[in-house]
Amino acid sequence: MAHAHDHHEPQGAELALAAQTTLEKSGEQWTSMRASVYEALAGFAKPASAYDIADAVSKSEGRRVAANSVYRILDLFVGANLAHKVESANAYIANAHPDCLHDCIFLVCDNCGQTTHLDDDRITGGVRNAARAAGFSPVRPVIEVRGTCAACEPVPAR
């Protein structure tokens, strides 16, 4: 897999601070509810639905949080590059480097649901160029590759 450049991938409080900084640079406020949704989203090891995130925030806040509110925040996060949407699963993952804009390539395991995000500007650039050649103006390509991850791949018999 080719990367245009390497990324430092912050985690925990450092990731939340990177997300907050990126959102504020876009002119939006980092509210306590947005912080709670981002913290819950970043806490999932696999893509999470708005309902999963609403449940996690509800438990941490000790009050019911509606999935509709979470959807609105997730839409904002996707637009501000804080999260990516895995379209085929209608689920979201936190962007591990929100200050860097790339098109999305996801490897989605059909067995366990593990999703890996790749940055390969050669591939997504090719998709953008093909779209332009067909008279289409691409906004943000999302490529999903369905299959089996290494952990789920059966071990070949000897």
Side-chain angles (χ1 to χ4, degrees):
M1 75 193 129
H3 295 276
H5 57 279
D6 292 323
H7 295 284
H8 165 68
E9 294 194 359
Q11 297 179 353
E14 186 183 5
L15 178 60
L17 181 58
Q20 177 180 352
T21 301
T22 300
L23 188 66
E24 289 173 345
K25 282 182 184 175
S26 76
E28 295 288 343
Q29 293 183 341
W30 187 256
T31 64
S32 61
M33 182 61 169
R34 290 174 181 175
S36 295
V37 168
Y38 192 80
E39 181 181 342
L41 174 64
F44 283 94
K46 296 178 184 171
S49 72
Y51 292 95
D52 295 333
I53 296 164
D55 286 344
V57 173
S58 294
K59 287 176 186 166
S60 71
E61 299 274 321
R63 62 183 178 86
R64 185 182 173 282
V65 174
N68 286 346
S69 298
V70 172
Y71 269 118
R72 283 191 293 276
I73 292 170
L74 290 170
D75 285 344
L76 173 69
F77 286 175
V78 169
N81 200 44
L82 306 184
H84 298 298
K85 184 174 183 184
V86 180
E87 298 288 342
S88 64
N90 195 27
Y92 300 82
I93 59 172
N95 183 353
H97 39 86
D99 57 337
C100 188
L101 187 62
H102 286 282
D103 295 325
C104 297
I105 302 172
F106 293 115
L107 307 179
V108 182
C109 180
D110 289 326
N111 190 40
C112 71
Q114 184 62 43
T115 302
T116 302
H117 175 229
L118 302 178
D119 292 328
D120 189 327
D121 294 330
R122 289 176 309 123
I123 293 170
T124 57
V127 170
R128 283 179 173 277
N129 290 338
R132 285 186 198 104
F136 187 79
S137 298
V139 174
R140 185 119 190 240
V142 176
I143 301 168
E144 294 185 26
V145 180
R146 307 291 305 207
T148 307
C149 71
C152 292
E153 192 66 45
V155 178
R158 293 185 186 198

